[in-house]
Amino acid sequence: MIPLNYIFTPLIAAGIGYVTNDIAIRMLFRPHKAKHIFGRRVWFTPGVIPKEKGRIAASIGEAISANLMNHDVMKETLLSDEMLQKVGIAFDELVAKLTDDREPLREYLSHYMAEEELVTLEKSATQELSIMVADKLVNSGLGKQIAHIAVEHALDKMQHGVAGLFRVDKVLSLVQGPTESHLAKNIDEMLEQKAPEMTVKLVAEGVAQVMEMPVQDLIKDRPEQVASTRRAIIQLYQSVIEEQLPKMLEALDISQIIERRINEMDMMEAEQLIHDIAKKELKAIVWFGALLGFLIGCLNCFLL
């Protein structure tokens, strides 16, 4: 018959190991505040984590900022193929939604912008487009083309008229170059002076017409423009991340945000959070204490 002490000693040791580890884990958090007897603070109060909360918060903030949310990690994550694919999918979903939208563009934008902002947007678009169109007109060589067509037409008429009877067509051809050059210069000067005024009204009417068009009419039957816009959106996203990520991380100061958030947490909330995250691991530690106590109890019986 096995002596009772061979049974009870390992079991008692296992119970001691279980309880001591459980108490040790609880003492990491409790008590939440220091306890005093006769004005003197009781040892081991508050718990380890409440006592070192500020230092732990700072360490966690620095560790996450330096290793998990640093510039290289964030850039690799935000510019990964998977993330770029998600940006493209989001654009495709928006286009699919807008394809069925019959409301005018102005009404659609009014859901996201105030009336004053819409007016400013329309004026800004008109101004920018007018400047761009006027600049294109001035620098497009239009004056030279018009001068060439006009002089060619005039010489042709003259050659088939009285001038043709007197065989002066060769003489007329001599003045073609200088005449075209002079006329082109005058036309270019006129365009430079009048182009902004000429284009602003046309552009304003065009912008107003676009603002009243149904959203779906701006998208359907334009697959090339939609695809081009999709590529532009993805490229814009990449550019913003590459150029602005360092500034954003510096402005956010992730380590300070995490440190401040941890320090603001109530200890009961922090304790519950850690228990929720590491529930299995903490339980494993407690049961490991029981197992270790049981083995020590068995060893004690063997030695005695």
Side-chain angles (χ1 to χ4, degrees), residues 20-134:
T20 52
N21 276 20
D22 185 63
I23 293 174
I25 290 174
R26 292 177 184 275
M27 288 180 66
L28 290 173
F29 306 95
R30 297 172 182 268
H32 296 160
K33 296 180 180 180
K35 303 296 183 181
H36 295 82
I37 297 178
F38 303 117
R40 302 189 65 177
R41 183 176 64 85
V42 178
W43 285 2
F44 304 114
T45 66
V48 176
I49 291 179
K51 183 179 180 180
E52 301 293 335
K53 184 179 178 181
R55 183 184 62 79
I56 294 173
S59 298
I60 293 175
E62 291 176 3
I64 292 177
S65 177
N67 300 292
L68 299 180
M69 299 186 71
N70 59 39
H71 174 267
D72 293 336
V73 173
M74 293 296 291
K75 183 178 179 180
E76 182 179 354
T77 301
L78 295 175
L79 294 180
S80 65
D81 292 339
E82 182 181 1
M83 190 64 196
L84 295 179
Q85 185 178 9
K86 288 182 178 180
V87 173
I89 291 174
F91 177 81
D92 294 339
E93 291 175 349
L94 176 62
V95 169
K97 181 180 178 181
L98 294 179
T99 303
D100 297 326
D101 198 335
R102 288 294 305 168
E103 63 181 343
L105 178 60
R106 179 186 298 278
E107 185 177 339
Y108 175 79
L109 293 176
S110 67
H111 299 319
Y112 308 97
M113 304 172 67
E115 182 62 28
E116 296 79 8
E117 293 175 321
L118 278 173
V119 173
T120 302
L121 174 64
E122 193 169 350
K123 288 182 178 178
S124 177
T126 300
Q127 183 179 6
E128 294 295 329
L129 287 172
S130 298
I131 293 173
M132 184 174 67
V133 172

Side-chain angles (χ1 to χ4, degrees), residues 15 49 61 69 83 89 94 133 135 154 166 193 226 232 240 262-263:
I49 291 179
M69 299 186 71
M83 190 64 196
I89 291 174
L94 176 62
V133 172
D135 184 65
F166 291 96
Q193 294 175 0
V226 171
V240 169
I262 293 176
N263 282 324

